[in-house]
Amino acid sequence: MNVSTYTVKPKLPAALKPLEEIARNLWLSWNYDAVQLFIRLDFDAWLKSQQSPIRTLGMVSQERLAQTANDDSYLAALKEVYDRFQRYKKGDTWYRGNYKDVVAYFSMEYGMDAALPIYSGGLGILSGDHMKASSDMGLPLVGIGLLYRQGYFKQMLNADGFQQESYPENDWYNMPVERKVDKDGAPIKISVDLAGQQAVAQIWEVKVGRSSLYLLDTNMEENTQDIRNVTAALYGGDKETRMQQEILLGIGGIRALRAIGINPAATHMNEGHSAFLALERAREIMTEKNFSFHEACELIWPTNLFTTHTPVPAGHERFDIAMMDKYFKSWSQVLGISWKEFLGLGRIDVNDEREVFCMTVLAMKLSAYVNGVARLHGVVSRDMWRGLWPGLPLNEVPIGHVTNGVHPRTWISSGMLELLDRYLGPTFEDKPTELSIWERIDRISDEELWRTHERRRERLVAFIRERIHAQYVRTGVDMRRFRQAEDALSPYALTLCFARRFATYKRGNLLLRDPERLIRLVKNNDRPVQLIFSGKAHPHDIPGKELIRELIHFADKYDVSNRIVFVENYDMNVAKYLTSGGDVWLNTPRRPMEASGTSGMKAAMNGVLNCSIMDGWWDEAYDPEAGWSIGHGEYYHDEKLQDDVESKALYDLLERDIIPLFYQRGNDGLPRGWIKMMKASMRQIGQSMSCHRMLMDYANQFYFPALKNYRRFSKDDYAETKSIAAYFAKLQHAWPGLKIIKTESNAKPVMQRGDMLTVTAHLDLGSISPNELLVELYHGTVSNQTNEIADARKTEMKWVKCEGNINVYQIRIECVDTGMQGHTIRILPKHEALIHPYRCGFIKWA
């Protein structure tokens, strides 16, 4: 069938033209007064469009548009919003540098708005908030991702409570994306090789306030159907589809930026999916500058940042060697290295031919900057990946952390935001990096804060009833369940929410371990408790699906379906209702399996109190005045014992602390103690877990240094790049011959505090010069348990003299600490262009 295609756009009266510009910029997603313009234009159309501003404009009748164009009240509201939008785009920002070179932020998914469903869960939501905060701060950052024709699946539960999936098609012409075209109006395209097939992709732009997100799409006529399906679904298909998607994201993403005239001077890999970008950056430099692969790596290494997001081994992408051979065998020739060396880029042990190729390892090896997403996750990641730096003490493994954050104006409800704007002042919106503004939270009266929160709970209950009713209509349940749906939940009862991906380690069923105890809480008419669950299990995660069914069956078995409910198809819209309308946000993962988590941060900024295992972000944010901890961060080897202990601890918290505090009311009906905790939580989490704090951390620790490194290593015809590449080529050859011949000291069996310790090292450096090595005294208190130095200090030793082929180093230190002390000698690389000295394989101990 030969179909001619064309695009039809809504015909807006001149007075309403600003609506289209607002609709096509996701600034709207965190400005509720802009959203109100579309609700006010036609509420029925807004609901039918599934809250899509662009689709709403296309559904409103011309008569209604003409009528609105003559409504002075509406036009005044439109002018106010549009003027504020323009002020936002042109206003002063936290970053005031140039935009010649940018940081390219790569992510497999982006959770920006319900109107752009190209996300599955936490990783995508974080990426979306990252882009929004970057826009607020004016950072030189662009996003890169893929445009999925189907996005993630839509969840439906059958009558038995078992999850089923559907994959509705996205209509890009009615969504806030625009195809990038050249000066002649033709789509800008790039191509990548996929095992001998050329995959052509077009580029779409999503405007995010001041920033831009670019998405690649292979659904084009010049591609075969298999290639068109590469961007069919997020996390869809098989392992080969994932390989194709990650080649397109990493290699194609760099080429896309080049095609539209953007220089990705530094890159941020958000998880390992995009790690192939490092190979493309190296190939570019080799082609343009006639560099070797190792020279090219010395330019990209100090400009790459990699963020790891999970301590779950299955979450780290791995490809078998047959798959790598099919897609990358030719790349070893392109890069001028052996196939074994190429595969070694993705292996912890480069000599283990049985080891598969890991994207996380590739990213870590080719990035100077690596971080986890919470303080505890940084600790876990250093232990998890220490094999990449054999011989390096755990606390020195070069993996830091930047704790995740959330974008406040996206996640704080409109009613609460209006209250905060009124009392915190214009700085709260105009200068979001001034986090101390949250200290003004006590200006809000207890009465106003509580009434605002109660209205959110009322709206949550109404929303849940509508969703459950629609769910029951679809599944055809009996009349008893229908009547329960009409009376589901109470707008006045203590409401506990558990909403996140349903994976077994998150333990969504922890509260069900003692049914009698839970039912007593739920059926208590004097102090009732109700629970709302929501979340999707991965389509192939049968145990996760069984958890959902277990919840449904539990509520039905004990006839509490009106007090324990599961809301299907968890998405950003559902999340906003839950994180603003609940009273307590539950989080029950197995420590330390939760890298960070962000849903509790969103809840806290809305005044919802957290009750959580000491894991992820809560491990560093917990304060007894602002929430509750389940346990004290213990580790267990027996999972059944852990579940028993922690479920009982949760019941105890509910019975002894949470429920009594919530229902402890004064003569005015206000739970003053609860409200005090709400304010403490909002004050603390608003400051410490804002995405703007997160972006300031990323900018100061990584982005600005990486951009500076790019300029530094590029100047003077790449002089420093060539210098450090030559240095490591020399070191690679000479390192095996480096020897610590002997060490001497004046240490006696017993030293007095204040005594001076002199340590001398005799080294055979071979062909290496003394100024090319960092020789350190590694010293400190010796652990009675491991006989190793704990909390060590490192002090550089001074070169003293050369005795033939032996170089002598020496140092004198004062004995300060008491107890069993110890020391040893180690050697590391030393070069003025090194970002840090911890390079894989280059450390030698006495």
Side-chain angles (χ1 to χ4, degrees):
M1 183 184 297
N2 186 14
V3 178
S4 299
T5 62
Y6 45 88
T7 302
V8 178
K9 293 187 175 182
K11 185 179 180 181
L12 295 178
L16 301 182
K17 283 290 185 183
L19 279 175
E20 184 166 14
E21 184 180 345
I22 294 171
R24 292 192 174 278
N25 192 307
L26 288 178
W27 173 85
L28 170 144
S29 68
W30 69 91
N31 286 273
Y32 188 69
D33 53 352
V35 173
Q36 279 289 103
L37 293 173
F38 296 88
I39 296 174
R40 185 174 169 184
L41 184 64
D42 190 323
F43 182 63
D44 290 336
W46 174 253
L47 293 180
K48 290 177 183 177
S49 74
Q50 296 182 321
Q51 302 183 18
S52 168
I54 294 174
R55 188 178 286 116
T56 297
L57 291 179
M59 295 173 68
V60 177
S61 68
Q62 289 301 134
E63 291 78 9
R64 174 58 183 160
L65 291 173
Q67 180 185 20
T68 306
N70 290 303
D71 182 339
D72 58 350
S73 173
Y74 186 91
L75 295 180
L78 174 58
K79 183 179 185 305
E80 182 178 346
V81 170
Y82 187 70
D83 288 349
R84 190 158 62 82
F85 177 42
Q86 297 303 317
R87 287 196 303 273
Y88 173 86
K89 290 196 294 182
K90 298 172 184 176
D92 292 336
T93 60
W94 179 77
Y95 173 76
R96 300 190 180 184
N98 70 70
Y99 295 86
K100 177 183 177 183
D101 302 316
V102 303
V103 176
Y105 177 80
F106 285 72
S107 184
M108 199 75 163
E109 52 176 297
Y110 289 88
M112 299 286 201
D113 187 63
L116 188 63
I118 55 171
Y119 63 94
S120 70
L123 181 69
I125 299 300
L126 176 72
S127 300
D129 282 6
H130 197 110
M131 292 298 302
K132 293 173 184 178
S134 176
S135 168
D136 291 341
M137 297 165 64
L139 290 176
L141 180 143
V142 298
I144 292 288
L146 303 181
L147 189 69
Y148 303 101
R149 193 169 72 245
Q150 296 175 334
Y152 204 47
F153 69 88
K154 181 178 180 181
Q155 179 195 51
M156 298 175 294
L157 302 185
N158 64 19
D160 190 44
F162 194 74
Q163 173 181 297
Q164 298 175 317
E165 300 87 27
S166 67
Y167 294 85
E169 297 276 330
N170 287 320
D171 177 10
W172 301 124
Y173 298 94
N174 279 307
M175 291 185 176
V177 297
E178 293 190 47
R179 189 158 35 194
K180 292 295 290 183
V181 297
D182 60 22
K183 62 181 185 303
D184 299 319
I188 298 175
K189 303 175 185 178
I190 58 96
S191 66
V192 296
D193 179 83
L194 297 179
Q197 289 191 81
Q198 285 300 304
V200 180
Q202 57 189 342
I203 307 165
W204 299 75
E205 180 180 13
V206 179
K207 290 184 170 62
V208 188
R210 302 178 177 96
S211 303
S212 289
L213 165 65
Y214 299 101
L215 303 171
L216 302 183
D217 168 29
T218 60
N219 187 26
M220 303 177 65
E221 290 184 359
E222 50 259 67
N223 289 325
T224 64
Q225 189 59 49
D226 285 347
I227 299 299
R228 295 181 74 164
N229 286 339
V230 169
T231 54
L234 172 60
Y235 304 137
D238 55 16
K239 199 71 173 177
E240 190 151 8
T241 303
R242 184 69 67 87
M243 168 67 87
Q244 295 169 341
Q245 289 182 337
E246 296 186 5
I247 290 172
L248 181 63
L249 176 64
I251 296 173
I254 293 292
R255 294 178 184 178
L257 291 173
R258 296 292 185 200
I260 57 181
I262 293 174
N263 177 34
T267 61
H268 183 176
M269 293 170 263
N270 194 38
E271 257 310 347
H273 308 120
S274 60
F276 291 136
L277 71 83
L279 304 179
E280 174 63 12
R281 294 188 74 198
R283 185 202 63 80
E284 279 187 339
I285 297 160
M286 292 172 66
T287 302
E288 294 172 8
K289 305 300 176 185
N290 199 29
F291 277 11
S292 70
F293 174 67
H294 299 292
E295 287 175 320
C297 284
E298 295 303 335
L299 178 57
I300 66 171
W301 182 76
T303 61
N304 279 344
L305 163 64
F306 169 65
T307 300
T308 176
H309 282 268
T310 178
V312 181
H316 296 272
E317 194 77 80
R318 290 175 168 87
F319 295 110
D320 62 40
I321 303 308
M323 184 81 73
M324 292 301 299
D325 186 275
K326 179 177 180 179
Y327 283 89
F328 280 96
K329 192 62 178 283
S330 63
W331 270 79
S332 65
Q333 299 171 347
V334 170
L335 300 177
I337 58 177
S338 69
W339 182 234
K340 180 181 178 182
E341 184 177 357
F342 183 90
L343 291 177
L345 294 171
R347 287 170 166 165
I348 294 176
D349 183 352
V350 297
N351 296 312
D352 183 0
E353 295 187 359
R354 296 170 300 174
E355 186 177 342
V356 295
F357 191 94
C358 178
M359 296 294 280
T360 299
V361 173
L362 174 65
M364 287 185 174
K365 284 189 174 183
L366 295 181
S367 300
Y369 305 108
V370 181
N371 73 282
V373 291
R375 184 176 63 195
L376 178 61
H377 183 231
V379 174
V380 172
S381 297
R382 285 190 287 277
D383 185 52
M384 188 173 186
W385 300 104
R386 64 188 308 178
L388 282 169
W389 295 271
L392 194 62
L394 181 60
N395 66 335
E396 291 184 275
V397 170
I399 301 176
H401 80 274
V402 172
T403 303
N404 284 344
V406 299
H407 188 252
R409 301 194 80 83
T410 293
W411 295 104
I412 298 175
S413 71
S414 57
M416 187 65 74
L417 203 54
E418 181 182 340
L419 187 67
L420 293 172
D421 281 337
R422 191 160 72 247
Y423 283 95
L424 272 55
T427 297
F428 182 56
E429 178 178 7
D430 298 339
K431 297 180 180 179
T433 55
E434 293 194 14
L435 302 173
S436 61
I437 199 71
W438 283 94
E439 293 292 338
R440 297 181 179 178
I441 197 76
D442 288 323
R443 294 182 177 184
I444 303 174
S445 70
D446 288 357
E447 290 82 359
E448 281 190 280
L449 183 62
W450 186 245
R451 300 308 174 209
T452 300
H453 177 67
E454 285 196 311
R455 284 194 294 272
R456 291 309 309 174
R457 194 189 313 113
E458 290 167 2
R459 293 181 184 181
L460 169 64
V461 169
F463 172 76
I464 298 295
R465 287 174 177 174
E466 288 179 9
R467 291 292 291 258
I468 293 176
H469 185 270
Q471 183 176 326
Y472 286 175
V473 168
R474 180 177 51 76
T475 56
V477 300
D478 57 43
M479 288 304 298
R480 177 182 65 85
R481 296 283 293 277
F482 261 119
R483 286 192 291 271
Q484 284 184 328
E486 293 173 357
D487 192 35
L489 307 179
S490 163
Y492 311 108
L494 173 63
T495 303
L496 314 182
C497 295
F498 180 99
R500 51 190 39 84
R501 182 166 59 89
F502 264 73
T504 52
Y505 78 87
K506 293 178 182 285
R507 299 189 296 177
N509 61 347
L510 191 64
L511 262 178
L512 309 188
R513 290 190 69 81
D514 189 338
E516 291 184 6
R517 203 168 176 184
L518 177 58
I519 296 304
R520 279 202 306 271
L521 298 180
V522 171
K523 290 189 173 182
N524 187 321
N525 292 325
D526 295 325
R527 300 191 304 183
V529 175
Q530 55 196 14
L531 287 85
I532 303 173
F533 293 90
S534 191
K536 298 177 179 179
H538 188 278
H540 303 307
D541 183 5
I542 300 302
K545 293 183 177 183
E546 288 296 339
L547 279 180
I548 296 173
R549 180 157 62 178
E550 181 184 354
L551 289 169
I552 303 296
H553 282 218
F554 181 94
D556 195 43
K557 176 182 177 180
Y558 292 97
D559 195 27
V560 289
S561 295
N562 63 337
R563 288 294 175 262
I564 300 177
V565 301
F566 186 93
V567 185
E568 64 181 9
N569 202 37
Y570 185 51
D571 61 7
M572 289 184 72
N573 188 41
V574 175
K576 288 181 178 181
Y577 275 97
L578 294 177
T579 55
S580 64
D583 296 301
V584 176
W585 196 259
L586 288 176
N587 187 34
T588 54
R590 295 192 192 281
R591 177 185 167 102
M593 303 300 284
E594 185 90 315
S596 173
T598 57
S599 60
M601 303 175 189
K602 299 158 192 165
M605 291 185 191
N606 278 287
V608 178
L609 300 180
N610 277 270
C611 178
S612 174
I613 297 291
M614 293 291 280
D615 198 10
W617 74 279
W618 192 240
D619 181 71
E620 64 195 82
Y622 166 66
D623 182 327
E625 295 183 358
W628 296 275
S629 70
I630 305 169
H632 304 283
E634 301 88 351
Y635 290 93
Y636 295 83
H637 297 293
D638 184 333
E639 290 187 354
K640 182 179 182 301
L641 174 64
Q642 180 181 12
D643 291 347
D644 286 340
V645 171
E646 293 180 340
S647 64
K648 289 175 182 175
L650 177 53
Y651 290 127
D652 288 344
L653 279 173
L654 288 169
E655 292 169 349
R656 299 174 186 175
D657 298 328
I658 297 174
I659 296 172
L661 185 65
F662 181 83
Y663 286 106
Q664 183 180 334
R665 308 296 172 100
N667 293 330
D668 54 6
L670 296 177
R672 298 280 182 179
W674 190 275
I675 297 169
K676 182 180 179 181
M677 288 188 72
M678 287 175 64
K679 288 184 176 180
S681 176
M682 295 173 77
R683 180 190 308 108
Q684 294 173 28
I685 307 306
Q687 294 181 72
S688 64
M689 298 300 159
S690 164
C691 213
H692 301 98
R693 185 274 309 152
M694 181 185 82
L695 262 292
M696 286 191 284
D697 287 348
Y698 272 117
N700 290 322
Q701 294 181 38
F702 304 128
Y703 292 167
F704 297 161
L707 290 172
K708 183 179 179 181
N709 292 340
Y710 174 80
R711 292 187 285 269
R712 173 185 173 185
F713 284 83
S714 300
K715 72 179 182 179
D716 300 330
D717 193 28
Y718 300 87
E720 282 202 293
T721 300
K722 296 172 183 176
S723 172
I724 197 167
Y727 168 73
F728 272 107
K730 175 182 178 180
L731 218 58
Q732 188 76 40
H733 177 74
W735 195 264
L738 183 63
K739 295 182 177 66
I740 300 175
I741 304 300
K742 66 177 179 177
T743 62
E744 302 169 326
S745 78
N746 66 339
K748 295 176 291 188
V750 177
M751 304 280 285
Q752 300 294 318
R753 177 182 281 167
D755 287 351
M756 298 304 296
L757 175 70
T758 301
V759 181
T760 305
H762 299 260
L763 313 179
D764 182 354
L765 305 185
S767 60
I768 308 174
S769 301
N771 62 353
E772 294 178 318
L773 294 172
L774 175 63
V775 181
E776 291 182 329
L777 180 71
Y778 188 86
H779 57 104
T781 302
V782 176
S783 168
N784 291 327
Q785 183 175 359
T786 63
N787 204 35
E788 295 180 354
I789 298 173
D791 298 323
R793 294 188 290 274
K794 292 92 64 178
T795 309
E796 183 173 0
M797 301 181 72
K798 303 297 182 183
W799 181 86
V800 177
K801 60 183 176 179
C802 183
E803 298 175 345
N805 293 328
I806 303 302
N807 285 268
V808 180
Y809 288 76
Q810 195 171 80
I811 189 171
R812 295 181 78 233
I813 62 169
E814 181 181 357
C815 294
V816 176
D817 296 329
T818 60
M820 181 67 73
Q821 301 295 303
H823 66 262
T824 188
I825 307 296
R826 71 178 187 181
I827 306 174
L828 294 162
K830 183 179 182 180
H831 191 285
E832 61 181 5
L834 263 179
I835 306 306
H836 62 71
Y838 307 124
R839 297 290 283 263
C840 300
F842 290 103
I843 184 170
K844 186 151 293 193
W845 294 88

